[in-house]
Amino acid sequence: KRVFPVKSELVQRVTIKKDHELEPLVLERREGQWAARGPGLDGEVSGDPSAIKFLLLTLTNQMKVERFVDDAFDPSTSSQAFGLDAPEYVVTLETTGKPTRTVRFSEHHETSADEGTLFAFVDGTTSALAMRPGLLEALAEPSEHYRDRTLRSEEHTSELQSRQYLVCRLLLEKK
């Protein structure tokens, strides 16, 4: 079973809150284009379609449940054993035609039997999900990773019309 059982094409917004950052990373699709805002970004910037596609495929296809830990959040059971009382990541996916899904992830745990296991908890459920380790690498990327670095034609045009480039062109024409 997949943690995020949706098609990546239907995802309209991804929010990733890391435990050590005050501000979440928000990736949002508007009219077919991705925008990104979050720590280290100057306001809202164009999103890198390739980096976002890789993240979405990881979230929607790679994150699979290996086993369920039933009633992990029963009042008689402590969520601390799974590290989900203070998760490392909280990921929310908003999609077209499906309810919003928020999942908390943690690799911290109290028992040595679960050493190296990634645990997740879907808001609104009572079971912890055990998953294979290493899936959090995609979530660990800094916000800057999702900035589109291609130079848009309108940015290129305004750059070429700047005073610095005008001086360079005049100097080259004189040669």
Side-chain angles (χ1 to χ4, degrees):
K1 180 175 176 172
R2 295 181 295 161
V3 175
F4 292 103
V6 296
K7 293 182 179 179
S8 61
E9 308 85 55
L10 298 178
V11 176
Q12 296 301 308
R13 184 178 179 159
V14 179
T15 304
I16 301 173
K17 175 70 176 90
K18 299 176 183 180
D19 69 347
H20 60 279
E21 293 180 345
L22 296 175
E23 183 184 359
L25 166 66
V26 178
L27 305 170
E28 192 165 11
R29 187 189 325 238
R30 290 192 210 112
E31 299 175 13
Q33 302 294 316
W34 284 98
R37 67 179 181 279
L41 298 175
D42 298 326
E44 189 171 281
V45 298
S46 294
D48 179 347
S50 298
I52 295 170
K53 182 178 181 178
F54 179 78
L55 172 67
L56 290 176
L57 290 174
T58 300
L59 291 172
T60 60
N61 292 326
Q62 307 270 324
M63 290 196 166
K64 294 184 180 169
V65 178
E66 289 189 346
R67 66 184 163 90
F68 292 90
V69 182
D70 291 328
D71 298 322
F73 296 96
D74 181 317
S76 62
T77 308
S78 171
S79 62
Q80 290 178 345
F82 303 101
L84 295 166
D85 55 329
E88 293 169 71
Y89 299 93
V90 178
V91 179
T92 302
L93 285 189
E94 296 177 33
T95 59
T96 303
K98 294 254 187 184
T100 297
R101 184 166 231 191
T102 299
V103 180
R104 301 167 193 286
F105 295 94
S106 183
E107 288 183 309
H108 298 297
H109 35 74
E110 290 184 349
T111 64
S112 60
D114 289 322
E115 190 70 37
T117 301
L118 170 63
F119 286 101
F121 172 72
V122 179
D123 282 5
T125 66
T126 58
S127 295
L129 312 173
M131 303 162 49
R132 67 180 171 84
L135 291 173
L136 291 182
E137 291 172 10
L139 300 178
E141 293 289 355
S143 298
E144 184 65 31
H145 178 75
Y146 298 102
R147 174 194 293 270
D148 189 358
R149 288 173 179 72
T150 58
L151 196 57
R152 304 258 182 262
S153 61
E154 60 272 9
E155 292 169 346
H156 186 65
T157 300
S158 66
E159 190 174 288
L160 289 176
Q161 291 173 349
S162 71
R163 182 175 294 224
Q164 176 187 0
Y165 281 91
L166 179 61
V167 171
C168 288
R169 280 198 311 266
L170 289 173
L171 289 172
L172 287 172
E173 285 176 13
K174 282 193 161 198
K175 283 187 170 187

